[in-house]
């Protein structure tokens, strides 16, 4: 019903839904343009971003598939194209050879360093808003994201801090933090990367 302009007049949720839809269209257009310039598809760009910002032990093909909302087979095809372009490499997980991990190559890291135009455009649009408006918008969008996540429409990756499984400063200096989910100690650097299994308090 959000596409019905008459319905939107008397329904704030419909107006907000339409605004979010229009923002998603703008983001799609910006990511398409930037991906085209790099000779990539938007979903290949997502693959590079996933490899760059996800904790190395959680950067699996399966988690990538869940993050972008596709099948495992489709995710493999997307990532294989990135391997062919020498932007990522795939290795089997040492303790479970059924699981494939992905990492950026040096060439892939250089490409990632150029992926900032579209996000800067989005930040510029947000920074033009007054602080009190931004504060309310942040709370509101956070609630929308949380609801979509709980309904299974969205995978939200976040760093370890704030996760129910995270136990900070419980290990040795080289790996001070502990993840109760995977029962493994983590370096501080690893704890700052995003994890698709993040579960907030």
């Amino acid at each position: 019903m959000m596409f019905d302009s008459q319905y939107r007049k008397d329904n704030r949720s419909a107006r907000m839904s339409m605004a979010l839809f229009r923002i998603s269209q703008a983001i799609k257009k910006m990511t398409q343009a930037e991906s085209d310039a790099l000779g990539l598809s938007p979903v290949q760009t997502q693959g590079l971003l996933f490899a760059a910002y996800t904790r190395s032990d959680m950067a699996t093909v399966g988690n990538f598939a869940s993050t972008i909302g596709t099948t495992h087979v489709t995710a493999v095809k997307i990532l294989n194209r990135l391997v062919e372009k020498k932007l990522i490499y795939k290795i089997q997980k040492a303790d479970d050879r059924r699981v494939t991990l992905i990492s950026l190559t040096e060439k892939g890291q250089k490409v990632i360093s150029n992926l900032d135009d579209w996000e800067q455009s989005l930040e510029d649009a947000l920074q033009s808003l007054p602080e009190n408006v931004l504060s309310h918008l942040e709370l509101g969008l956070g609630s929308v994201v949380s609801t979509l996540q709980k309904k299974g429409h969205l995978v939200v990756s976040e760093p370890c801090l704030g996760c129910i499984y995270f136990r900070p400063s419980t290990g040795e200096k080289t790996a001070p933090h502990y993840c109760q989910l995977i029962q493994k100690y983590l370096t501080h650097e690893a704890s700052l990367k995003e994890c698709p299994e993040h579960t907030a308090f």
Side-chain angles (χ1 to χ4, degrees):
M1 294 295 280
M2 71 176 184
F3 295 101
D4 184 335
S5 59
Q6 296 305 307
Y7 177 76
R8 288 199 305 270
K9 283 183 180 179
D10 302 312
N11 190 306
R12 177 176 287 163
S13 294
R15 292 195 300 274
M16 293 296 293
S17 296
M18 194 63 189
L20 290 171
F21 176 77
R22 286 170 173 156
I23 291 169
S24 74
Q25 293 297 97
I27 292 172
K28 182 179 178 181
K29 182 177 179 180
M30 289 186 287
T31 54
Q32 182 72 61
E34 189 158 20
S35 296
D36 286 348
L38 295 169
L40 301 170
S41 68
V43 75
Q44 287 171 345
T45 299
Q46 284 183 277
L48 291 182
L49 291 169
F50 177 83
Y53 295 106
T54 303
R55 209 173 72 213
S56 60
D57 60 320
M58 300 302 286
T60 67
V61 175
N63 281 337
F64 174 62
S66 297
T67 298
I68 65 170
T70 192
T71 64
H72 191 275
V73 172
T74 300
V76 168
K77 290 179 181 177
I78 294 164
L79 296 173
N80 282 347
R81 289 290 294 136
L82 292 174
V83 171
E84 290 170 14
K85 290 174 180 284
K86 296 182 170 35
L87 297 174
I88 67 165
Y89 59 87
K90 300 194 298 184
I91 57 169
Q92 291 178 314
K93 199 171 185 181
D95 56 353
D96 188 350
R97 297 181 67 80
R98 297 168 299 173
V99 178
T100 302
L101 297 168
I102 62 171
S103 297
L104 291 177
T105 62
E106 188 174 336
K107 182 180 177 183
Q109 290 170 351
K110 288 178 181 175
V111 171
I112 280 292
S113 68
N114 294 321
L115 286 172
D116 56 6
D117 288 347
W118 73 266
E119 66 180 65
Q120 190 58 54
S121 296
L122 197 56
E123 278 190 45
D124 290 345
L126 288 169
Q127 286 175 353
S128 67
L129 299 175
E131 184 59 36
N132 65 320
V133 174
L134 273 176
S135 178
H136 286 94
L137 182 60
E138 183 178 16
L139 286 173
L141 290 177
S143 296
V144 172
V145 168
S146 179
T147 300
L148 292 174
Q149 182 184 17
K150 287 173 183 174
K151 290 189 175 183
H153 300 308
L154 189 63
V155 172
V156 177
S157 294
E158 291 289 344
C160 295
L161 190 63
C163 177
I164 62 172
Y165 302 114
F166 186 55
R167 301 292 178 270
S169 305
T170 55
E172 302 295 327
K173 187 175 181 180
T174 54
H177 311 307
Y178 186 73
C179 175
Q180 222 171 16
L181 178 67
I182 61 172
Q183 299 182 354
K184 179 181 174 182
Y185 284 97
L186 306 170
T187 65
H188 182 66
E189 291 73 20
S191 75
L192 299 177
K193 292 275 191 171
E194 294 179 351
C195 174
E197 298 288 348
H198 181 99
T199 306
F201 286 103

